[in-house]
Amino acid sequence: MRQVRIGAGAGYSGDRIEPAVELAERGRLDYLVFECLAERTIALAQQARRRDPRLGYDPLLAARMRAVLPACRRAGTVIITNMGAANPLAAAELVCATARDLGLRGYKVAAVTGDDVAASVGDGHGRILEDGRPAAALGASLISANAYLGAEPIVQALSAGADLVITGRAADPSLFLGPLVHEFGWSFEDWPRLGQATLIGHVLECAGQVTGGYFADPGFKTVPGLARLGFPLAEVGEDGSAIITKVEGSGGCVTSATCKEQILYEIHDPAAYFTPDVVADFSQVRVEQVGQDQVRISGASGRARPEALKVSLGVAEGFVGEGQISYAGSGARDRAELAAAIVRERLELTGLMAQELRFDLIGIDALHGHGLPAGGGERAEPYEVRLRVAGRTASMDEAVRIGSEVETLYTNGPAGGGGVTKQVREVLGVLSTLLPRERVQPSIHMLES
C-alpha cells in the first residue's frame, strides 16, 4: 500500500529548529509541516504589521527556512506552514528571497490569504461566543480577526505545483490533512477519512509533545534524551492508517502513552472535535504499540463539517505592570510580606488606577494561594522568597508605576532585598465568534525564486 511520510517541524512559534533539520535530512519525508501559530500569536503579528507593513509573519521564518530548505529541496520534501501569520504574502516573498540566497532557483511558494476577516467583524457580523455581545461592539479594541481556514486552499496550492505553502490562520490539523487529501485524492466529503486524517494532524501538530516533551515526569514517566528530542513523523496509508514514529537515534520516545496524552490534548468532546474540514470523532480511536518508537493510531471517523467558521479575535485589554524582588535568609518570608504590605499601601496612597492587582510570594502562594505545604500543616518558612507585584491598568503610564514602587523597596523597604526586575507589557485578550463560510474567501498567490 502506498504511503506518505509527513513530519512535524515545530509545535509553536519559538520551538527548536534542530529537530526539524534532523527530519529534513534523515526523515525521508514527503512533507514537513511547521505549526507555529497560537491564538495570541496572530494578534501580536497584526500589531507588528501595523507598525511596519513589511512585517507580521513569524520572526523565525527566515532562520527556519535557511536551515531546512537545502535538505528539503534535495529530498523533494514539500513544506507547509502557518508562519505567514498576519502577512502570508510578505512571508512568501521572504522565503523566495531566502531560496535565491541559497542558490535555489525555480522554487515555487504559494501564499494563502483570506483568513483576515476584520472587515466583516467590524461590519457587525457575528456575536462573541464568550458573552453574546455583537463582535462589532469591540470597536477600536479589536486588534485582529482571523478565521480558521481548512485544508482546501492548501490542496489547491499543492495541485498548482507549490514546493512550499505558507498560510495565515489555518486550523492546526488542516496543515497535515491538506497534503494527505492531495496525495490520495480523497473527497472533501469523505468524512470518515477526513476524521482519521484530522486525528493524525492533531497527534503531530504539537511536535515534541508526542515524542516525550510535556510528558516526562521523573520517577513516573521516563523519557530519554530530552535535550536532543526528536520530532515525530507519520507513515500514512491511502486508507488513512498511520504509524507514528521518529528518526532513529533521535532523543525522546514514541509510545502508546505519549500518543494517548496528545490525542486528549485540547479536546473538549472526543466525539465531536470541530474543525473547518470535518467534525471529527475520536471516541473509538485505537492506539497500539507495534514496535520500538512505533505506534499505530486508527479508528477515528467524522461527520459533515460545520456551516460556520470559527474566528479568533485579538482584543486590546490594557497593560500589565510588574515588579519583583527577592529576600533570603532568616525571616525571608516575614520581610517579603512586609514589602508586599508597603507596596500595597503605597499604590493606594498614590491613587493607582488598576482593574486588577495581585501580590504573590513565588514558591509559596503564587499558584494556589494557600501558603501551606501540600496536605496542609504549619506555615512554610522558606530560606528564600521572591515577591511579585502585578497589576492590570488601562494605560502604560499607570502600569509603569507598579514596578517602580517595587524598585523603591531597595532603600525604602525591609532589609536585604535584591534582584529587582520590572516590566510592562500590553495585554492581548482572545475572544471568538463565528462567520458563515461564504463570507470567508481564501486566495492563492504563487511566487517563484
Side-chain angles (χ1 to χ4, degrees):
M1 179 173 62
R2 182 177 169 223
Q3 284 189 338
V4 170
R5 291 172 65 89
I6 184 167
Y12 75 102
S13 177
D15 214 341
R16 295 176 184 170
I17 296 178
E18 296 92 339
V21 175
E22 184 175 53
L23 279 171
E25 293 177 346
R26 299 177 53 213
R28 297 179 288 112
L29 300 179
D30 299 294
Y31 294 90
L32 179 59
V33 177
F34 292 90
E35 195 292 288
C36 296
L37 200 55
E39 285 73 18
R40 283 182 175 82
T41 314
I42 198 160
L44 293 169
Q46 291 284 14
Q47 286 184 318
R49 187 178 184 181
R50 288 183 182 185
R51 292 191 294 268
D52 186 340
R54 298 168 296 179
L55 300 179
Y57 48 80
D58 190 286
L60 284 178
L61 176 63
R64 290 193 193 281
M65 294 302 101
R66 190 168 293 277
V68 301
L69 279 181
C72 286
R73 185 66 159 172
R74 287 193 301 270
T77 302
V78 176
I79 297 172
I80 299 172
T81 181
N82 55 15
M83 282 191 281
N87 203 344
L89 266 175
E93 291 168 355
L94 178 62
V95 172
C96 285
T98 303
R100 286 192 294 270
D101 288 345
L102 294 169
L104 305 178
R105 298 290 175 175
Y107 193 75
K108 297 179 181 178
V109 179
V112 177
T113 62
D115 62 295
D116 188 336
V117 292
S120 289
V121 171
D123 287 345
H125 294 277
R127 304 189 78 82
I128 299 171
L129 298 181
E130 288 79 3
D131 57 23
R133 287 181 296 156
L138 294 170
S141 68
L142 183 66
I143 300 297
S144 63
N146 294 83
Y148 284 77
L149 301 183
E152 286 182 278
I154 295 172
V155 174
Q156 294 168 14
L158 295 173
S159 298
D163 298 305
L164 184 148
V165 182
I166 189 160
T167 75
R169 178 74 277 173
D172 297 352
S174 299
L175 301 173
F176 298 85
L177 190 152
L180 298 178
V181 170
H182 170 71
E183 290 288 336
F184 296 132
W186 294 339
S187 164
F188 268 106
E189 294 184 353
D190 188 342
W191 309 122
R193 277 199 175 92
L194 297 186
Q196 174 66 15
T198 296
L199 171 67
I200 296 166
H202 177 66
V203 168
L204 293 177
E205 68 188 41
C206 291
Q209 284 190 193
V210 83
T211 51
Y214 206 65
F215 172 86
D217 190 355
F220 299 95
K221 298 182 294 184
T222 300
V223 178
L226 281 168
R228 49 184 181 80
L229 188 69
F231 285 174
L233 64 95
E235 300 169 342
V236 187
E238 194 164 358
D239 61 353
S241 61
I243 301 292
I244 307 300
T245 185
K246 66 184 184 68
V247 173
E248 186 176 355
S250 61
C253 59
V254 179
T255 69
S256 58
T258 65
C259 290
K260 286 175 182 177
E261 284 200 10
Q262 178 58 28
I263 290 170
L264 293 174
Y265 180 73
E266 293 184 336
I267 295 293
H268 177 255
D269 182 352
Y273 180 40
F274 282 72
T275 79
D277 305 298
V278 62
V279 179
D281 183 352
F282 295 169
S283 63
Q284 303 301 312
V285 164
R286 295 181 297 278
V287 180
E288 309 165 76
Q289 190 87 41
V290 295
Q292 179 71 34
D293 295 319
Q294 292 185 318
V295 174
R296 178 184 292 115
I297 56 171
S298 60
S301 188
R303 60 182 186 270
R305 68 188 188 181
E307 290 303 313
L309 294 177
K310 180 181 176 181
V311 177
S312 180
L313 307 172
V315 183
E317 294 187 345
F319 298 83
V320 165
E322 177 184 306
Q324 296 187 23
I325 187 170
S326 294
Y327 294 90
S330 178
R333 178 171 181 161
D334 288 335
R335 284 179 283 132
E337 288 178 343
L338 175 57
I342 293 169
V343 174
R344 187 189 299 275
E345 186 173 355
R346 284 289 304 166
L347 294 177
E348 291 174 357
L349 287 171
T350 57
L352 177 76
M353 302 293 289
Q355 288 80 48
E356 297 176 63
L357 192 61
R358 61 179 294 159
F359 298 78
D360 299 317
L361 301 182
I362 296 174
I364 296 177
D365 62 8
L367 294 180
H368 300 288
H370 301 308
L372 294 174
E378 297 181 359
R379 186 176 108 144
E381 291 297 343
Y383 201 65
E384 58 184 51
V385 176
R386 188 159 179 84
L387 169 66
R388 174 183 182 264
V389 182
R392 186 165 66 87
T393 66
S395 73
M396 180 177 289
D397 288 344
E398 289 289 285
V400 166
R401 293 172 55 194
I402 296 170
S404 296
E405 281 296 345
V406 172
E407 186 179 39
T408 66
L409 291 168
Y410 267 143
T411 56
N412 298 274
V420 169
T421 60
K422 56 182 183 176
Q423 64 170 337
V424 174
R425 59 182 174 84
E426 187 173 5
V427 179
L428 294 177
V430 176
L431 298 172
S432 306
T433 188
L434 299 173
L435 277 183
R437 284 182 178 272
E438 58 269 20
R439 296 199 65 85
V440 183
Q441 298 295 323
S443 299
I444 313 296
H445 310 265
M446 293 295 295
L447 292 76
E448 188 170 330
S449 66

